Structure formats: C-alpha cells, structure tokens
C-alpha cells in the first residue's frame, strides 16, 4: 500500500493516492483534522461568560477558521493528483507505486534500443499534455535498473521526457509483469530466440497483463494524442468488424482482458503476425456480440465495451499511411478523432519528420508535441547545417 504524504510547501512534492478518489485517505485525513481542531466538548449548562471572555472566544474561533481554511486550501491544491508537485527525482518511485495511482497511460518498447526516436517521444509527450492528471509510463525492455540513472544525460529523448512531471520511464521486466496471469506459464515455456515475431508477440502479451493488473489505457508508441478519450472500457476499430490492439482501455481486473490472456495462451501461434494482437481482440469481441459495419462516425457498444469508430484513431487507414508524410493543400481537422495512429510498422522507408518540410506529420508534431519537435527535430537540423569552417 502507498502511504499518503502531505506537504504544505509548493516547492515540495507529494506522493499520494489519486486525489480523484472521494473516499481515499485524503478525505478521511481532512475530516479527522477538522474534528480535532473545531470539536470541543460542550457543557449543557455552562455559566455565562463575561463580555471579554466571549470576545476572546470569538477571536479563537476566527483564528481556528482561518487556520483550517488555509489547510483546506493546501489540500485543494493537491487534489489535482500527485503531478502538481513532482520536481523530485522520479526514479525513486517504483512501477507498482505509479501504476497503483490509477488510470495510467502505458507505452511499451520491447526492442533493446535505449534511445527513443522522435515519434516515440512525440507519442509520450502528446499523452502527457492531453492527460496531465494521469501517469504516463514508458516501459523499455532494454532498460535496466543500472542504466536508468544515467540515461537522462546520455540521450536527448530521455532528458526531454524525464523532465515532464507526469512521465515515468521504467525497465520492462516481463517475468514480473506476467505474475498472477495465464501468461506466466507461456512465458516460461517460450524460446524468444526461436520466435520470428518476438518483439510484437512479447508486446502483445505485456500490454494485456499490465492493463489487466492495473487498468488504464495502452497506446502504441506511434500514436499521437490530440484529445482525451472519454470511454473507460473500449477497443478501437481499425475498420468495420475488425479491432486493433494498438490502443485500448479497461479498468483493472476486467474479465474481457483476462479472457484475452487465456485465449492468447490457448491459441498461441507466434508465426502468424497479429494472431496474438488484433486478431485476438477481434475474435474475442466476436464471442460477445455480432459485429456490424460502421455507418458515419457512430461508435458501437457490446456488453458495456465501447467499440470505437475507425475515425477515432485511424482516420487515415494503413494502406494510405504515407499521407502523414506528405504535404496537404488543406490539413484535415480530425474533429472526430481522439488520437492518430501513424502506422510506423508500415513505414519501411523510414520516413521521418523533417523541419521545414510542411508535411502533415510535421504540423502534428508542432501542435501536439512541440518540445519534441523543437529539441529533437529543429535542433538536429541546426546541428546538421554546415558551419563557417565547412564552407569553401
């Protein structure tokens, strides 16, 4: 269990259970504090006091009222959750402590690379800006406890992301993640070196286990957030009658996610790309309801699970993924979207955002991850410009 720590100085930090929980420790502490200050035993037949005593009593009550008001004001500043005061080093918090705060936005990097590229940085930054009252967690397979403390100075993206008050970067320890889930037995038996899609399969498994244990929203690292997702239990339709697993959200211990983990193990086939990912989500959703085509921009609902319209995350479908890296005569508004999936898996030519290119992707970076754009793209361009000594 986390302990609630209260501080009265704006320059300090506070680790607390989510301030959004109305019945949490915060409220009970406040009530006890108020009772301690303002409740006094009253005598039913107290003698009449002198005018001076009554005046002194009123002054005492006023002082108490002012003091309590000050304390309640301090508490109200903390009510926007833990991230109002986090200039302290974030590596002192464990993944479980942060995840237990609730409603995390989770990203995964299951390759061994240690430097997040600009698109990953943009995805995390955009989520941190859109969901300022929620923890944004990037789990990295290549990260260890030993390397975690050095990376802020080693890589520009780490320094950029770790400076954001609600962003946390942790090692991805799969054996720990899979504890108490059906996936642990599968993980102990599988041989990663013999799996041709291990990077994707291990990511598919990890996202299910993390969301089942702690709840929240999972997002791929090529998803740029543009507005909050209002639904708590949802899957994202990639097209009619077909679900993606690149972004989904559920409360902790949701039965649908548990059933997906069981199906993951029962029908495991690592040779088929997506069998443990979007195809799994689709076949499990079909066991609950009859999927129909989308008409317009409406969402579908299936046993309290929202099946969100493709316009919410995939307004540009994967066959047209390269349009993100083209110049548009008029940029789309994406008024019906919560986030945009940039289809990095399809990006075989490794198209990137270039400063001054005026592509749609560059405009998205400028709007939704401006720090990434400035630090990792504009600054890189300036570094690549020839200096006076390079000009003949």
């Amino acid at each position: 269990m986390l302990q609630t720590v209260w501080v009265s100085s704006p320059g300090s930090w506070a680790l607390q259970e989510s301030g959004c929980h109305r019945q949490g420790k915060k409220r009970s502490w406040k009530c006890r504090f108020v009772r301690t200050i303002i409740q006094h035993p009253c005598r039913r037949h107290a003698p009449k006091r002198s005018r001076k005593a009554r005046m002194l009593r009123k002054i005492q009550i006023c002082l108490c009222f002012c003091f309590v008001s000050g304390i309640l004001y301090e508490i109200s500043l903390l009510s926007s959750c833990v991230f109002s005061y986090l200039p302290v080093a974030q590596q002192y918090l464990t993944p479980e402590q942060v995840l237990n705060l609730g409603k995390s936005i989770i990203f995964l990097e299951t390759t061994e690379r240690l430097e997040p590229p600009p698109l990953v940085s943009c995805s995390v930054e955009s989520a941190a800006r859109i969901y300022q009252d929620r923890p944004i967690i990037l789990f990295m397979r290549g990260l260890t406890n030993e390397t975690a403390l050095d990376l802020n100075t080693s890589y520009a993206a780490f320094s950029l992301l770790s400076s954001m008050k609600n962003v946390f970067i942790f090692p991805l320890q799969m054996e720990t993640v899979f504890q108490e889930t059906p996936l642990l037995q599968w993980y102990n038996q599988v041989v990663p070196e013999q799996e041709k899609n291990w990077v994707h399969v291990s990511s598919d498994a990890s996202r299910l286990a993390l969301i089942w244990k702690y709840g929240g929203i999972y997002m791929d690292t090529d998803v740029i957030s543009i507005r909050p997702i209002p639904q708590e239990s949802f899957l994202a339709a990639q097209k009619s009658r077909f679900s993606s697993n690149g972004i989904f959200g559920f409360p902790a211990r949701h039965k649908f996610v548990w059933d997906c983990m069981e199906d993951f193990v029962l029908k495991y086939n690592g040779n088929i790309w997506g069998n443990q990912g979007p195809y799994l989500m689709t076949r499990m959703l079909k066991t609950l309801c009859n999927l129909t085509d989308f008409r317009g921009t409406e969402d579908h609902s299936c046993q309290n699970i929202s099946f969100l319209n493709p316009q919410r995350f995939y307004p540009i479908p994967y066959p047209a993924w390269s349009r993100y890296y083209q110049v548009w005569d008029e940029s789309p508004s994406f008024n019906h979207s919560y986030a945009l999936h940039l289809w990095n898996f399809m990006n075989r030519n490794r198209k990137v955002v270039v400063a001054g290119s005026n592509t749609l992707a560059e405009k998205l970076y400028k709007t939704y991850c401006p720090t990434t754009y400035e630090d990792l793209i504009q600054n890189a361009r300036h570094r690549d410009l020839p200096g006076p000594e390079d000009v003949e």
Side-chain angles (χ1 to χ4, degrees), residues 115 150-156:
E115 168 65 339
D150 305 326
L151 290 171
N152 288 353
T153 56
S154 301
Y155 300 112

Side-chain angles (χ1 to χ4, degrees), residues 184-391:
L184 182 61
Q185 181 180 0
W186 160 80
Y187 180 72
N188 289 333
Q189 294 175 350
V190 73
V191 181
E193 294 76 15
Q194 298 177 3
E195 297 286 332
K196 69 176 184 179
N197 293 312
W198 178 247
V199 168
H200 304 288
V201 168
S202 60
S203 178
D204 292 335
S206 298
R207 68 189 70 176
L208 288 172
L210 286 166
I211 294 299
W212 182 79
K213 281 186 172 183
Y214 302 103
I217 295 174
Y218 167 80
M219 294 185 184
D220 277 349
T221 52
D222 55 353
V223 172
I224 297 178
S225 298
I226 63 177
R227 58 178 57 89
I229 302 169
Q231 291 84 357
E232 185 177 18
S233 299
F234 71 90
L235 294 172
Q238 184 174 315
K239 59 182 180 179
S240 288
R241 309 187 191 205
F242 189 79
S243 176
S244 79
N245 75 329
I247 179 167
F248 62 93
F250 287 94
R253 312 282 169 165
H254 196 283
K255 184 179 183 302
F256 179 82
V257 185
W258 179 269
D259 292 342
C260 285
M261 291 190 292
E262 289 189 327
D263 184 89
F264 184 105
V265 177
L266 182 64
K267 298 180 181 178
Y268 180 74
N269 187 338
N271 294 321
I272 302 176
W273 187 93
N275 187 63
Q276 270 57 56
Y279 291 104
L280 180 150
M281 292 293 199
T282 301
R283 64 178 175 261
M284 294 305 296
L285 189 61
K286 286 181 177 179
T287 64
L288 299 180
C289 59
N290 181 31
L291 301 183
T292 59
D293 291 339
F294 288 94
R295 302 184 184 279
T297 58
E298 84 288 354
D299 298 321
H300 292 173
S301 181
C302 178
Q303 297 193 16
N304 295 322
I305 298 175
S306 297
F307 191 39
L308 300 185
N309 192 287
Q311 288 294 316
R312 304 293 179 237
F313 307 105
Y314 304 104
I316 296 179
Y318 77 88
W321 67 270
S322 62
R323 298 199 67 191
Y324 280 114
Y325 298 93
Q326 296 173 1
V327 178
W328 291 52
D329 293 335
E330 183 177 351
S331 297
S333 62
F334 299 118
N335 288 334
H336 300 292
S337 301
Y338 302 135
L340 304 173
H341 195 289
L342 267 61
W343 304 108
N344 195 52
F345 179 73
M346 303 294 295
N347 192 356
R348 304 299 186 185
N349 297 324
R350 296 303 171 202
K351 294 181 181 293
V352 296
V353 172
V354 178
S357 61
N358 202 34
T359 61
L360 176 58
E362 184 189 20
K363 292 180 179 180
L364 294 174
Y365 274 51
K366 286 181 176 181
T367 303
Y368 301 107
C369 56
T371 306
T372 293
Y373 179 78
E374 181 179 353
D375 287 9
L376 302 185
I377 296 176
Q378 280 191 323
N379 288 347
R381 182 191 186 193
H382 294 156
R383 287 192 298 268
D384 294 339
L385 290 175
E389 66 278 6
D390 299 322
V391 180

Side-chain angles (χ1 to χ4, degrees), residues 41-291:
C42 296
R43 299 175 184 173
R44 185 175 294 276
H45 302 291
K48 292 184 178 180
R49 295 183 176 134
S50 65
R51 183 175 181 180
K52 183 176 181 180
R54 290 197 301 271
M55 181 63 69
L56 181 61
R57 177 62 176 164
K58 290 180 180 180
I59 293 174
Q60 289 175 334
I61 292 174
C62 288
L63 289 175
C64 285
F65 176 78
C66 293
F67 183 70
V68 172
S69 298
I71 292 296
L72 295 180
Y73 175 72
E74 292 282 349
I75 294 174
S76 70
L77 293 179
L78 291 169
S79 65
S80 61
C81 302
V82 62
F83 312 110
S84 296
Y85 303 100
L86 270 179
V88 79
Q90 295 172 340
Q91 62 264 27
Y92 294 117
L93 303 179
T94 66
E96 187 173 19
Q97 285 175 321
V98 178
L99 287 162
N100 281 335
L101 293 171
K103 296 188 175 181
S104 300
I105 311 294
I106 296 173
F107 295 89
L108 294 174
E109 176 58 75
T110 51
T111 70
E112 295 292 330
R113 67 183 176 188
L114 290 175
E115 168 65 339
L119 181 53
V120 174
S121 177
C122 183
S123 297
V124 175
E125 179 188 346
S126 64
R129 290 178 178 274
I130 296 297
Y131 303 95
Q132 296 185 24
D133 61 342
R134 301 173 72 163
I136 314 299
I137 306 175
L138 172 60
F139 284 100
M140 302 191 70
R141 178 65 176 167
L143 192 62
T144 67
N145 291 328
E146 288 71 30
T147 59
L149 300 180
D150 305 326
L151 290 171
N152 288 353
T153 56
S154 301
Y155 300 112
F158 268 91
S159 180
L160 185 159
L161 294 175
S162 61
S163 67
M164 300 177 187
K165 61 185 179 181
N166 60 332
V167 172
F168 301 84
I169 303 174
F170 292 123
L172 176 60
Q173 299 171 332
M174 292 187 186
E175 187 170 357
T176 301
V177 168
F178 297 144
Q179 293 291 333
E180 303 176 5
T181 77
L183 297 168
L184 182 61
Q185 181 180 0
W186 160 80
Y187 180 72
N188 289 333
Q189 294 175 350
V190 73
V191 181
E193 294 76 15
Q194 298 177 3
E195 297 286 332
K196 69 176 184 179
N197 293 312
W198 178 247
V199 168
H200 304 288
V201 168
S202 60
S203 178
D204 292 335
S206 298
R207 68 189 70 176
L208 288 172
L210 286 166
I211 294 299
W212 182 79
K213 281 186 172 183
Y214 302 103
I217 295 174
Y218 167 80
M219 294 185 184
D220 277 349
T221 52
D222 55 353
V223 172
I224 297 178
S225 298
I226 63 177
R227 58 178 57 89
I229 302 169
Q231 291 84 357
E232 185 177 18
S233 299
F234 71 90
L235 294 172
Q238 184 174 315
K239 59 182 180 179
S240 288
R241 309 187 191 205
F242 189 79
S243 176
S244 79
N245 75 329
I247 179 167
F248 62 93
F250 287 94
R253 312 282 169 165
H254 196 283
K255 184 179 183 302
F256 179 82
V257 185
W258 179 269
D259 292 342
C260 285
M261 291 190 292
E262 289 189 327
D263 184 89
F264 184 105
V265 177
L266 182 64
K267 298 180 181 178
Y268 180 74
N269 187 338
N271 294 321
I272 302 176
W273 187 93
N275 187 63
Q276 270 57 56
Y279 291 104
L280 180 150
M281 292 293 199
T282 301
R283 64 178 175 261
M284 294 305 296
L285 189 61
K286 286 181 177 179
T287 64
L288 299 180
C289 59
N290 181 31
L291 301 183

